[in-house]
Amino acid sequence: MNIVQKEVLSLQDKEVLCELWNNEYPEKLSYQTIEDFNLYLDGLINTKHYLLIDDENKIRGWAFTFFRDEEDWFAIILDEKIQGNGFGSLLIKELKKNKTILNGWAVDHENDVKRNKEFYKSPLMFYIKNGFTICENSRIENQKISAVKINWKL
């Protein structure tokens, strides 16, 4: 697996990433069209993308950083077929090379369902293992997501 860094995604990249997003995140967070996904991406500031590419040149994971509310934020998604093999940690290490602080939202329960009707597994322990702390007093709660803020500082 290789990590390819990009500031601008091609339409083909976006189509693959939208599919990855819709397959791996809770169904409530999915995008109905590539245009909706594009609107989300276009709303991000100072975005850097990190694509995890396999030997067949297929995107198997994606992490990205962006600036929001005067803070550096990130998100990460891995194809479930490769989860648990160290590739998520590899992507996190790559993000940390370029940042001194990272913030994110982590679903801290297992009540949400994915597109394939399986339950979404909380990544909270993964983030703790990778040096993030849980910001217990900072949550996002709405119709689409219930999550706790996580933070990493160099």
Side-chain angles (χ1 to χ4, degrees), residues 14-76:
K14 290 178 183 179
E15 288 170 347
V16 171
L17 295 174
C18 183
E19 187 72 13
L20 184 64
W21 178 293
N22 287 343
N23 286 339
E24 301 304 337
Y25 275 163
E27 193 169 26
K28 293 187 283 187
L29 293 174
S30 66
Y31 288 95
Q32 300 303 311
T33 66
I34 192 70
E35 290 80 15
D36 291 340
F37 185 65
N38 225 0
L39 283 173
Y40 166 72
L41 292 176
D42 288 347
L44 301 176
I45 299 169
N46 294 338
T47 311
K48 285 196 172 44
H49 303 276
Y50 301 80
L51 306 179
L52 186 65
I53 310 289
D54 70 11
D55 295 338
E56 297 173 3
N57 212 29
K58 291 183 181 175
I59 298 172
R60 303 296 298 241
W62 171 41
F64 58 103
T65 59
F66 56 96
F67 196 71
R68 176 175 46 200
D69 299 330
E70 304 298 316
E71 295 182 304
D72 284 313
W73 287 79
F74 82 102
I76 183 173

Side-chain angles (χ1 to χ4, degrees), residues 122-144:
S122 171
L124 208 51
M125 294 312 296
F126 163 78
Y127 290 123
I128 291 168
K129 182 181 90 173
N130 280 282
F132 286 80
T133 56
I134 301 167
C135 305
E136 301 275 348
N137 297 325
S138 188
R139 295 193 62 84
I140 184 169
E141 297 282 349
N142 60 42
Q143 291 178 329
K144 289 189 169 204

Side-chain angles (χ1 to χ4, degrees), residues 3 50-52 60-63 76-78 86-96:
I3 297 174
Y50 301 80
L51 306 179
L52 186 65
R60 303 296 298 241
W62 171 41
I76 183 173
I77 307 169
L78 284 183
F87 296 116
S89 295
L90 184 70
L91 279 169
I92 292 289
K93 284 180 191 166
E94 192 68 24
L95 299 181
K96 289 177 177 180

